[in-house]
Amino acid sequence: MPATVIVGAQWGDEGKGKIVDLLAQESDLVCRYQGGPNAGHTIVVEGETYKIRAIPSGIVAGVASAIGAGCVVDPAVLIQELDDLEARGHRTDGLVFVSGNAHLIMPWHVALDGARERRLGKLQIGTTRRGIGPAYADKATRIGIRVQDLLDPKILREKVELAAGEKNVWLERVYGIDPFDVEEVVTQTLAHAERLAPYVADTSLLVDRALRDDRRVLFEGAQGTLLDLDHGTYPFVTSSSPIAAGAAVSFGIGPQRIDEVVGVSKAYVTRVGEGPFPSEIDGPAQDRVREIGGEFGTVTGRERRCGWLDLVALRFAVRVNGITSLALTKLDVLSEFDEIPLCVRYRLPDGSETEDFPAHQSDFHHCAPVFETLPGWREKLEGPALPAAAADYVAFVSEALTVPVTIVGTGAARDAVLALQP
């Protein structure tokens, strides 16, 4: 189909990068629609590992890649990524496009992010302290600096002076942090502008023309459904909209132009940072899953919390995204277990049980998982077919969600996948 959204169906880190890289082989344009460089996509191609933070994952496949207006961009990180890709033999000129309407992460955003987390102490959100939230906050309060401002030194200086004047007061008087020198920030940002100017584009027009020409467009988000600002487990969420509808908003196209929504879920579930996690594994089995699955943050290296697959949360993701098919990644990690629990319902504080995701945070924060256990397979996932018990596991998930599982990840490499008939 011409327009397909790849959406994380859990708390992020589902392996979207690999699925995007796989589908990018048959796409003409890959588009990142939300988030910033706090979330990375890991791709392994012919023994080489790429950890992509800002640029859409399709660039590794040599496919034109666009960063939408719904993203926030750290100029230094983006430049480093462009330089690294070019040093490894990947062309970026004429292939990478950045929306002029995307907002910039400025130095004070990073400083404020870290200062706020430290001040919150035990109540901290668990951000990656990359300045993402403060950048989105400035966007909402309309004092943000956009990518297109890099193209006009006069406007850039005016906006830096305005924003820095306010942020320096907060840094000094509230957090006791040294203020930023406006001239230094302007000089540094203008240096970034010179490098990034050739990549600035009208990405809405770019996508519109691609769809009108029946070219295949792939949209990717940075985080997962349960981290959505409106529909996630607030306040332990990101500051943008990872759900599939965010793709249309970020690139300025009508929602009817999206043809397919592919949800990506691990065969288990992980979460980074604070917040409730009903199916979190108790005891040493969690360490085992983490070690086998390499569950450490792509960008931060933080340990990911690991849980058994949560079908209640996945059913919610199917609903809010309109998921039409599911990619189930890292099934191979479960090959080491004799039995595999799946969370099929939540037990609420009043003793009742539900298959539906709770609408109220108090219910979710205090619910308990109800597990159903399936037999493991204790076999490597090699060859053209899954072992019987692994196939039964996939079928159980598909039937519980009433959504076909069409892709199964059986290892880290690009070609370690099985395509299943819906």
Side-chain angles (χ1 to χ4, degrees):
M1 290 292 185
T4 301
V5 179
I6 307 296
V7 63
Q10 298 169 317
W11 273 287
D13 308 313
E14 302 95 347
K16 296 183 294 298
K18 176 177 178 175
I19 302 303
V20 171
D21 178 62
L22 180 70
L23 298 183
Q25 314 302 313
E26 299 179 354
S27 299
D28 301 299
L29 178 63
V30 179
C31 303
R32 170 76 72 91
Y33 63 87
Q34 56 82 215
N38 58 333
H41 290 164
T42 301
I43 302 167
V44 181
V45 182
E46 297 178 354
E48 284 199 63
T49 300
Y50 295 84
K51 296 193 174 185
I52 308 295
R53 297 172 60 184
I55 302 173
S57 307
I59 193 64
V60 177
V63 178
S65 300
I67 298 172
C71 298
V72 288
V73 176
D74 185 320
V77 171
L78 179 55
I79 289 170
Q80 181 183 28
E81 200 158 281
L82 290 167
D83 291 344
D84 288 347
L85 285 165
E86 290 173 357
R88 298 178 71 172
H90 293 275
R91 177 185 151 209
T92 63
D93 62 296
L95 284 180
V96 175
F97 306 91
V98 185
S99 171
N101 291 338
H103 280 246
L104 295 176
I105 299 170
M106 301 300 290
W108 46 77
H109 293 140
V110 180
L112 285 168
D113 200 357
R116 287 171 180 169
E117 283 290 275
R118 289 190 295 272
R119 190 179 184 88
L120 285 170
K122 293 182 179 180
L123 298 177
Q124 63 184 267
I125 303 300
T127 78
T128 55
R129 307 191 182 195
R130 295 299 197 274
I132 311 301
Y136 276 113
D138 278 2
K139 173 181 178 178
T141 56
R142 291 160 292 183
I143 63 167
I145 300 171
R146 298 192 294 176
V147 169
Q148 62 178 274
D149 296 328
L150 295 173
L151 307 180
D152 190 320
K154 181 180 178 181
I155 290 178
L156 179 65
R157 176 178 290 277
E158 289 175 353
K159 290 195 171 185
V160 167
E161 288 176 349
L162 173 65
E166 177 184 309
K167 302 307 175 185
N168 280 340
V169 171
W170 277 94
L171 290 169
E172 284 188 284
R173 299 184 184 179
V174 178
Y175 299 110
I177 295 175
D178 290 339
F180 286 92
D181 182 272
V182 172
E183 286 303 320
E184 287 183 6
V185 174
V186 170
T187 299
Q188 181 185 53
T189 308
L190 286 174
H192 292 154
E194 185 175 352
R195 177 73 171 93
L196 294 177
Y199 297 97
V200 181
D202 183 342
T203 56
S204 175
L205 185 61
L206 183 73
V207 169
D208 178 73
R209 286 176 173 171
L211 294 176
R212 287 179 184 275
D213 292 341
D214 289 325
R215 286 184 283 160
R216 292 160 297 187
V217 180
L218 196 62
F219 298 93
E220 65 166 13
Q223 283 94 13
T225 298
L226 295 173
L227 294 178
D228 187 87
L229 180 60
D230 293 306
H231 302 284
T233 53
Y234 191 89
F236 305 101
V237 294
T238 192
S239 300
S240 56
S241 294
I243 62 172
V249 175
S250 180
F251 281 91
I253 60 170
Q256 82 281 5
R257 301 182 79 180
I258 294 173
D259 299 290
E260 296 286 339
V261 179
V262 179
V264 184
S265 165
K266 284 176 182 166
Y268 48 101
V269 61
T270 60
R271 175 165 200 173
V272 172
E274 305 301 320
F277 189 6
S279 67
E280 188 165 12
I281 302 170
D282 292 325
Q286 175 163 181
D287 294 329
R288 197 173 172 198
V289 171
R290 183 182 298 115
E291 181 181 357
I292 298 169
E295 295 300 348
F296 303 90
T298 298
V299 174
T300 64
R302 290 189 299 176
E303 287 187 351
R304 294 172 183 151
R305 299 158 64 191
C306 299
W308 302 117
L309 190 62
D310 185 338
L311 294 176
V312 180
L314 264 184
R315 191 176 293 109
F316 172 74
V318 169
R319 169 161 59 89
V320 299
N321 290 294
I323 290 173
T324 55
S325 65
L326 194 70
L328 198 64
T329 64
K330 304 186 86 165
L331 184 64
D332 54 300
V333 173
L334 299 182
S335 298
E336 298 292 322
F337 295 89
D338 295 319
E339 294 182 329
I340 305 168
L342 299 92
C343 175
V344 294
R345 294 183 300 280
Y346 292 161
R347 183 174 294 111
L348 301 178
D350 65 2
S352 63
E353 294 185 1
T354 180
E355 293 184 346
D356 297 315
F357 199 78
H360 299 288
Q361 65 177 9
S362 294
D363 286 335
F364 181 64
H365 282 235
H366 298 98
C367 70
V370 177
F371 289 110
E372 187 163 332
T373 301
L374 298 185
W377 44 92
R378 282 285 186 175
E379 299 177 50
K380 289 187 176 181
L381 303 185
E382 299 174 337
L386 294 172
D392 289 344
Y393 184 90
V394 173
F396 187 95
V397 172
S398 179
E399 290 169 10
L401 302 176
T402 64
V403 168
V405 176
T406 55
I407 298 173
V408 173
T410 57
R414 172 190 276 176
D415 58 355
V417 292
L418 289 177
L420 305 181
Q421 291 296 323

